[in-house]
Amino acid sequence: MLRAMPPLRPDDVICGQFSGHTDEPGVAEGSAVETFVALRAHVDTRRWAGVPFFIRAGKRLPVTVTEVLARLRRAPEAIAGGADASEANYVRFRLTRTSRSRSARGSRRRGRR
């Protein structure tokens, strides 16, 4: 799968530094070292065509998680105007260090807000 990933483009990568990084012990004053990255990757295969993979990693993020969020495609009636397509259905799998998993889903019924 990794061999099928094209090189990342500059528009697909954001790097930064958490606030207060230069106040950490052992960090040089004025250091410009990145402590955070967010990227969007793609896999050029028939199965994964059009599916973006988002990866965020770094120091001092608000939570430490490994999760998969799958946004489901809209139903045909949503495309034809029979339902509000502004909110996509999704399934989220969050994996934890204790080898347990939690899942959540989001969906909307037609005509409800």
Side-chain angles (χ1 to χ4, degrees), residues 2 4 6 9 17 20 27 30 34 37 51 54 56-59 63 66 70 88 90-91 97 99 101:
L2 293 176
R9 299 181 319 232
Q17 187 180 91
V27 176
E34 292 95 354
V37 66
V51 177
F54 296 98
R56 285 175 278 194
K59 294 182 176 182
V63 292
T66 301
Y90 68 89
V91 177
R97 291 181 184 185
S99 298
S101 66

Side-chain angles (χ1 to χ4, degrees), residues 69-72 87-92 103-109:
L69 177 68
R71 288 199 176 120
L72 307 176
E87 293 185 38
N89 292 334
Y90 68 89
V91 177
R92 176 179 298 182
S103 64
R105 68 178 177 83
S107 62
R108 258 181 43 113
R109 291 187 184 194

Side-chain angles (χ1 to χ4, degrees), residues 74-85 110:
R74 294 183 289 173
E77 63 269 10
I79 295 170
D84 183 5
R110 188 182 302 201

